[in-house]
Amino acid sequence: MADTKQVDEAKDTKAAKAAAKAERRAARLAKQIGAFAKAHGGAEAQVAYIGERGSRIVLVGEDGGWGDLVAPTHAIAEEAVRKAGVTVHEDFDGKFAAKVRTGPYEWSRMAGIQVGGPANSNT
């Protein structure tokens, strides 16, 4: 009987450590989101699952500035945006996407050689 108790206690300890680690990660992400929001006059977010890597938090500031963060799990990403207190969109729809302001660098990287951007190869 004692062996079972020790195994259960070890599992409980491991689960508690994992929960604490997830909480710390969510708090760090929330702090980064808050800093972004402060620098851009506020922010809105969208959380997207990206597979084994976790979830991507796309941030769009009130000034049109944008950025993203990656959380190791979808639950941590959702907890981070909740802690940061930003508006979260279900989709990156047209109205939300229209708030993004891009510069020449982004346009050249997105378009590549099709519209005179930097070549993607050394030919």
Side-chain angles (χ1 to χ4, degrees):
M1 223 33 178
D3 291 338
T4 303
K5 184 177 179 183
Q6 289 175 345
V7 170
D8 289 343
E9 288 174 357
K11 286 181 183 177
D12 291 344
T13 302
K14 191 173 184 178
K17 286 181 181 180
K21 184 177 178 180
E23 181 65 28
R24 288 190 305 272
R25 182 66 176 141
R28 278 193 305 270
L29 287 166
K31 186 176 179 181
Q32 292 173 308
I33 293 167
F36 177 90
K38 184 177 179 182
H40 295 276
E44 298 177 43
Q46 192 262 334
V47 178
Y49 177 70
I50 56 173
E52 287 184 25
R53 290 254 324 155
S55 288
R56 180 179 185 206
I57 304 167
V58 179
L59 301 168
V60 179
E62 290 300 315
D63 64 357
W66 61 279
D68 67 345
L69 298 166
V70 176
T73 68
H74 197 73
I76 290 173
E78 288 180 334
E79 179 67 12
V81 294
R82 186 193 64 74
K83 282 178 178 269
V86 297
T87 300
V88 181
H89 296 265
E90 290 293 319
D91 297 309
F92 203 80
D93 61 11
K95 187 176 179 182
F96 184 44
K99 293 182 177 187
V100 175
R101 297 290 171 247
T102 56
Y105 172 78
E106 288 86 3
W107 280 103
S108 68
R109 297 299 298 166
M110 287 186 281
I113 61 173
Q114 290 82 5
V115 290
N120 292 330
S121 65
N122 293 331
T123 58

